[in-house]
Amino acid sequence: MLGMRIRRAGRLTCAAIAVGLIAASCGSGSGGGAAADAGAPFVLGGQFDLSGIARAASTPASKGLQAAVDGINRRGGVNGHKIELVIRDDGSNTARITSVYRELVTSANVSAIAGLVSSQQTPVVVPLAERDKMALIDAGTPGSFIQPPNPSVFSSSANQNLQGPAQLAYIMSLAGQGKVPAKPRVAAIYYATPSSTEALEATKAYAAKVGIELVTVESPPVGQGAMGPVMSAIQSANVDAIVSGLIPTDVIAAVKVASTSGLDMSMPWANYSFGGGPEVLKEVAGLGHTGYVVLATVNILGTTPGSKTFLEDLQANGVNPMEQGVEVGYIQGILAAEVFAKCGFPCAPEKFRTTIGTFSSPLDGLAFGPVAYSDQDHSGIGVVQFAKWDTAAGNLAYAGDAVELEVKV
């Protein structure tokens, strides 16, 4: 692994749980044997932006969450109880974010809320979740919410404030192979949103620590594909590599500009975890860019038991595993099921939040390392890979060594 260490102490609990089999022996219910509880489901909320600015990432994630829950239910549920999933759309609209949260808590009586892929959602609901002692299994959290941890926020993606340093570590691994200069000139492309601004500052700090020169920092508008001026500035700066926090539509727009403007189409470019699933990587490769990689949080190649179950569950629901973001929601569903197994039935919100706060599991090999939460860190995913498109094989492949997201700056 590349050297980026400060490992948090994760406590492995119920490690024998497989993604495809939530064993009854892993949880001890509180009142689970009561006749009134027989056949009653665990209830999980899903709060997504299915109609607003983040719908391109949130919609596939909602499909992944549904596929995970459906798969678990087909295999008998959790400790004899099915999971009822209640999905609602808030459009990343502040008023709707609040009203959807309240509906899930007061009407649906959920034990926890998953989804929350848009970085605009979590800051709005966090005060409410803290009041209600509700756990948020979230993917779009600014890094400051999870390290040091907010008591209600548990990330199912990689800490965004550590992704930039991981991307730079990937670039430095290429320097070690002689593929870029020993002290590469690197361009950074980040949005001017609160979470991206936080992530950029962490990237700058790590670059200064390891001697990388960030020669240009660009801030395009989110999702508008206005990448001409950005790529022109990068070309003028004569950089050796690019790191970024761009969503897929802007990546595709940028690569199209590069392909017609003379920018080096083999230049190493490392993007963050929402920067492309297999579909996007394939399209980027089809446009002729051979240096593009994206940070990957889970193994979707079917090479481990959990990864095989992932593909089977998506297929059963008619979901394309190549679609960007389905793995984000899927891992949330598997996490919730394993927490339910440990929590026992019924699992009240406060008990769910307490249980996930001391949780660790390898998810049957779905993740690249243990997904662990502690009282010091709610980042969850601590080991990542970088994915690219292998044109010759016609499939996604992983590039370089795994990276531990444990970076002090």
Side-chain angles (χ1 to χ4, degrees), residues 268-355:
W269 180 354
N271 200 11
Y272 85 140
S273 58
F274 287 99
E279 278 185 336
V280 178
L281 292 170
K282 182 179 181 180
E283 186 170 356
V284 168
L287 291 169
H289 201 296
T290 60
Y292 181 79
V293 299
V294 66
L295 186 143
T297 55
V298 293
N299 176 6
I300 64 171
L301 293 183
T303 56
T304 65
S307 184
K308 289 177 182 177
T309 304
F310 165 80
L311 295 177
E312 291 166 0
D313 287 345
L314 293 186
Q315 182 179 19
N317 274 39
V319 179
N320 181 3
M322 298 228 345
E323 191 173 359
Q324 158 72 26
V326 294
E327 77 286 351
V328 174
Y330 187 88
I331 195 173
Q332 292 181 339
I334 299 302
L335 276 169
E338 292 203 15
V339 175
F340 281 138
K342 187 169 182 279
C343 180
F345 189 90
C347 186
E350 184 173 3
K351 188 177 180 185
F352 187 103
R353 193 176 78 163
T354 300
T355 302

Side-chain angles (χ1 to χ4, degrees), residues 31 42 46 56 70 73 98 112 125 148 186 188 191 201 219 236 250 268 276 293 321 325 329 342 369:
F42 292 99
D70 289 348
N73 287 340
T98 301
V125 300
V186 179
Y191 301 120
E201 290 307 309
S219 300
S236 299
D250 289 327
V293 299
K342 187 169 182 279

Side-chain angles (χ1 to χ4, degrees), residues 193-288:
T193 61
S195 60
S196 286
T197 300
E198 261 190 33
L200 175 60
E201 290 307 309
T203 302
K204 286 179 177 178
Y206 186 76
K209 178 182 178 182
V210 299
I212 291 175
E213 183 183 4
L214 293 183
V215 296
T216 181
V217 175
E218 298 296 323
S219 300
V222 180
Q224 296 183 24
M227 300 303 296
V230 171
M231 300 312 287
S232 177
I234 289 173
Q235 185 173 12
S236 299
N238 192 29
V239 300
D240 302 302
I242 300 171
V243 295
S244 60
L246 295 178
I247 62 175
T249 51
D250 289 327
V251 170
I252 298 300
V255 173
K256 287 179 177 177
V257 170
S259 67
T260 60
S261 64
L263 193 69
D264 182 1
M265 295 291 278
S266 65
M267 178 184 296
W269 180 354
N271 200 11
Y272 85 140
S273 58
F274 287 99
E279 278 185 336
V280 178
L281 292 170
K282 182 179 181 180
E283 186 170 356
V284 168
L287 291 169

Side-chain angles (χ1 to χ4, degrees), residues 385-402:
Q385 270 278 11
F386 286 90
K388 63 179 181 179
W389 187 258
D390 186 332
T391 302
N395 200 359
L396 178 143
Y398 293 120
D401 296 328

Side-chain angles (χ1 to χ4, degrees), residues 13-32:
T13 57
C14 200
I17 294 178
V19 169
L21 176 64
I22 307 297
S25 61
C26 293
S28 57
S30 54

Side-chain angles (χ1 to χ4, degrees), residues 79-159:
N79 296 348
H81 296 268
K82 298 294 180 71
I83 299 175
E84 178 185 342
L85 178 61
V86 183
I87 290 180
R88 294 291 183 265
D89 169 28
D90 64 27
S92 285
N93 174 277
T94 299
R96 285 173 62 190
I97 291 170
T98 301
S99 65
V100 164
Y101 170 86
R102 287 174 175 159
E103 178 191 352
L104 291 172
V105 172
T106 61
S107 299
N109 295 313
V110 301
S111 295
I113 297 176
L116 302 166
V117 175
S118 167
S119 62
Q120 298 181 49
Q121 294 170 306
T122 303
V124 175
V125 300
V126 159
L128 304 176
E130 289 179 318
R131 178 198 65 193
D132 300 329
K133 295 182 171 55
M134 178 68 61
L136 307 172
I137 308 175
D138 156 288
T141 314
S144 58
F145 278 93
I146 53 180
Q147 199 179 39
N150 178 283
S152 287
V153 181
F154 300 86
S155 180
S156 61
S157 187
N159 185 337

